[in-house]
Amino acid sequence: MREWWRTGVVYQVYPRSFADSDGDGVGDLRGLAARLDHLEWLGVDAIWLNPCFPSPNADWGYDVADYTAVDAELGGAEALEELLAEAGALGISVLLDLVPNHTSDRHAWFLDARSSRDARHRDWYVWADGRDGGPPNNWLSVFGGPAWTYDEPTGQWYLHNFLPEQPDLNWWNEEVREAFDGILRHWFDRGVAGFRIDVAHAIVKDAELRDNPPADESDLPRTRLFGQREVYNMNRPEVHDVFRRWRALAAGYDPPRVFIGETWVFELDRLAEFYGDGGDELHLAFNIPFLLSDLAAEPLAEIVAETETALQPDAWPVWTLSNHDVIRFPTRWCADHPARIRLALMLLLTLRGTPVLYYGDELGMPQARLARSDLRDPVGLRHWPQNPGRDGARTPMAWSEEPGAGFTEPDAEPWLPIADAHACNVADQRGDSLSALALTRDLIALRRELDDLATGSYERLGSPAGTWMWRRGEGTVVALNPTDGEHELEVAGTIRVCTDRARDGDRVAGRLQLHAWEGAVVAPD
Ligand code: GLC
């Protein structure tokens, strides 16, 4: 039960935005390697890198043109090799991002597939004849419009659950499965510790390409807005065969390689299925209901309780507050309110499960507000202003308040604007023992020190309405007050870390008074 991916903390790096080593305004792997000291100091065990494979960047790396190479703009294969060696020397594992649902339309497989109906790779993608002069069925793209594009030269339609530049692979084809076995081995052989799996729930489609049923009033608002239930274009049960196969492959390595699924599902018993039976599928499956909840005791405690019930005893939760697809948590959950941000960080780092921090979370870095002319994300470019897209969560890391923010050269033009680096940066917060950064680091250190926090069970304890208190393991208690009022909670011990750092070390004799948006970790004496 002490595998690193259970006890450790994972840190997500968006490589284009973390650190730029060559002054072209785009972050790269050598820039990241030069900043590993920050991650070592923070105490993280692993980094997950958003895709760094060659890509035309229609969807910023999520349109892969070659799965066994590294994008030249990010430094190429040598830079990744160096990064793996340097991170390894510091005891930091490196996870890459695998995109098995679709390739780029410029991938050699797709270029071949669309060259003729008899092409060698034709069946590696999902092709179908049209229906009544239109697409083969009613499936819609996650990014808007039909999920099918007509290919004039060969007279058929191809499927893309995302952009037309991201044709979906046909996972019913055994050669596709073999190709991905080879891709996994390629990176595992080079020391990659595992993969985050992009849209893990989506990769297998209905073999008969049946129409999705329309949404009705019994569906979640997001499904109603989308107009149909995505039960045939993705979310097929046969996906589990693929994960069982990958898990067996990963288990053959020493140490076993690890998978974290981007499992965009809203029913927690369905989430549990991605862990397989007795741990024979994904090691970790992202909890989207938690990510998209509000920062309030009841909805979050309910999701945690349901997750605890749904997962098999050996399955391990994973929690995250932000990522490259959603609004950063300080803005979305906390309305940029410092006390709320601190409470949220304490919550993330003390639940039973693996916390995944998104770069900048440790600073409480807010969502950047961008102008239409700044946008690079296809979602924002298509749907502005109703949906400004995801760029505001992807702006450069603020290392210091100097021009370029320590991210790039002062006179370089960053690929996305640097947000307000004066308000929030690593250099200032490193010098401030009361900062969000210091709190994050101290909570990570406490997880290492207390077995209760690393591996202990979770049990909710009684506490006043609006507050949330739980015990981890033998006796460590986490008490949170996510309300605007003051509350008294029943707990005894010593405060190991409080969001109000002046209270660290205080003895609690049985009653703990928590101010609005205050939280504390209390260990038995
Ligand atoms: C995932 C990624 C997202 C990407 C999409 C298509 O949801 O996290 O960034 O746009 O898949 O690959």
Side-chain angles (χ1 to χ4, degrees):
M1 288 294 273
R2 291 211 64 101
E3 296 106 321
W4 70 261
W5 51 269
R6 293 181 196 263
T7 55
V9 174
V10 179
Y11 186 99
Q12 180 188 353
V13 173
Y14 196 78
R16 298 180 66 85
S17 292
F18 199 62
D20 170 19
S21 70
D22 56 6
D24 64 357
V26 176
D28 48 55
L29 300 179
R30 291 205 171 86
L32 162 57
R35 293 290 188 180
L36 283 172
D37 58 337
H38 172 68
L39 302 177
E40 188 199 19
W41 174 85
L42 194 58
V44 308
D45 299 81
I47 49 181
W48 146 36
L49 310 183
N50 287 95
C52 24
F53 311 110
S55 168
N57 287 330
D59 189 20
W60 300 105
Y62 285 99
D63 46 325
V64 177
D66 181 352
Y67 290 89
T68 53
V70 177
D71 199 297
E73 211 178 6
L74 302 179
E78 249 176 61
L80 181 59
E81 213 175 289
E82 288 163 26
L83 175 70
L84 287 166
E86 290 172 36
L90 299 174
I92 297 176
S93 303
V94 177
L95 303 165
L96 300 182
D97 201 319
L98 189 70
V99 189
N101 182 66
H102 46 265
T103 68
S104 162
D105 63 344
R106 317 262 189 89
H107 194 294
W109 301 337
F110 191 69
L111 294 177
D112 177 55
R114 78 188 317 179
S115 68
S116 94
R117 289 200 187 198
D118 310 318
R120 154 111 176 72
H121 295 93
R122 181 74 173 183
D123 184 55
W124 286 38
Y125 294 85
V126 185
W127 294 93
D129 294 329
R131 183 173 68 185
D132 310 328
N137 65 23
N138 72 349
W139 297 355
L140 296 173
S141 153
V142 172
F143 290 161
W148 298 93
T149 288
Y150 185 63
D151 184 59
E152 190 80 52
T154 58
Q156 279 192 310
W157 299 70
Y158 69 86
L159 176 69
H160 51 85
N161 269 303
F162 296 89
L163 298 174
E165 293 87 348
Q166 296 169 296
D168 279 38
L169 284 161
N170 172 18
W171 276 87
W172 293 102
N173 183 310
E174 178 60 24
E175 286 184 332
V176 169
R177 295 183 186 219
E178 281 165 17
F180 273 83
D181 290 349
I183 292 163
L184 292 177
R185 286 208 184 88
H186 176 90
W187 292 113
F188 291 165
D189 289 345
R190 283 161 181 75
V192 167
F195 280 99
R196 176 257 190 191
I197 312 294
D198 191 54
V199 291
H201 56 291
I203 66 180
V204 180
K205 337 289 167 200
D206 181 42
E208 296 167 42
L209 307 180
R210 280 170 282 187
D211 277 337
N212 279 331
D216 66 28
E217 52 299 338
S218 67
D219 287 303
L220 292 172
R222 56 186 312 116
T223 310
R224 292 213 298 272
L225 200 64
F226 192 65
Q228 55 183 235
R229 295 185 189 157
E230 293 176 291
V231 294
Y232 291 125
N233 63 324
M234 51 177 73
N235 295 310
R236 302 307 302 158
E238 297 87 357
V239 76
H240 297 289
D241 298 338
V242 177
F243 296 144
R244 278 191 286 273
R245 173 178 180 137
W246 289 359
R247 180 67 178 254
L249 191 156
Y253 281 81
D254 182 23
R257 306 309 199 237
V258 173
F259 298 114
I260 308 185
E262 186 205 14
T263 38
W264 201 269
V265 298
F266 288 87
E267 303 85 21
L268 292 162
D269 43 357
R270 274 204 57 218
L271 180 70
E273 290 171 8
F274 286 92
Y275 290 83
D277 199 6
D280 63 354
E281 296 189 36
L282 304 180
H283 300 76
L284 298 169
F286 276 120
N287 195 312
I288 303 296
F290 178 85
L291 172 71
L292 298 183
S293 175
D294 294 325
L295 178 54
E298 283 324 307
L300 286 173
E302 200 175 306
I303 291 165
V304 169
E306 277 182 37
T307 305
E308 290 277 344
T309 309
L311 296 194
Q312 290 188 12
D314 195 43
W316 192 248
V318 51
W319 309 107
T320 193
L321 305 180
S322 302
N323 66 33
H324 62 290
D325 290 328
V326 299
I327 297 171
R328 285 179 173 276
F329 88 86
T331 304
R332 184 170 41 85
W333 266 24
C334 306
D336 298 333
H337 187 299
R340 295 182 193 191
I341 294 170
R342 299 167 73 82
L343 180 136
L345 285 167
M346 179 169 280
L347 157 64
L348 174 72
L349 293 163
T350 55
L351 283 172
R352 187 182 83 103
T354 305
V356 181
L357 286 161
Y358 183 50
Y359 78 101
D361 276 0
E362 72 274 36
L363 306 172
M365 187 165 144
Q367 180 83 356
R369 288 179 216 296
L370 302 178
R372 169 76 176 76
S373 55
D374 294 328
L375 301 191
R376 312 296 295 265
D377 173 22
V379 174
L381 291 169
R382 280 177 161 213
H383 301 295
W384 178 277
Q386 292 78 15
N387 178 351
R390 302 166 291 183
D391 293 305
R394 300 175 177 180
T395 58
M397 179 71 167
W399 296 99
S400 69
E401 62 174 354
E402 293 148 25
F407 162 72
T408 188
E409 300 296 329
D411 51 357
E413 172 94 41
W415 83 288
L416 278 176
I418 294 169
D420 184 0
H422 296 281
C424 178
N425 67 67
V426 175
D428 285 351
Q429 293 201 17
R430 263 189 88 148
D432 175 3
S433 60
L434 304 180
S435 63
L437 180 59
L439 177 70
T440 306
R441 181 177 188 243
D442 292 344
L443 286 167
I444 293 176
L446 196 62
R447 289 175 59 88
R448 282 185 200 261
E449 182 191 327
L450 301 180
D451 275 351
D452 275 358
L453 286 185
T455 57
S457 55
Y458 165 93
E459 190 193 342
R460 189 173 185 184
L461 303 172
S463 70
T467 67
W468 184 11
M469 183 160 75
W470 65 87
R471 181 168 43 234
R472 293 292 315 283
E474 299 296 309
T476 303
V477 171
V478 181
L480 301 180
N481 177 13
T483 76
D484 290 325
E486 196 162 312
H487 287 287
E488 191 175 79
L489 285 77
E490 281 181 38
V491 53
T494 299
I495 298 183
R496 296 302 311 274
V497 174
C498 183
T499 54
D500 171 3
R501 304 308 300 272
R503 301 181 71 180
D504 286 11
D506 284 3
R507 295 279 319 282
V508 183
R511 298 189 174 282
L512 172 67
Q513 201 71 23
L514 285 180
H515 299 109
W517 299 98
E518 198 169 42
V521 182
V522 180
D525 293 320

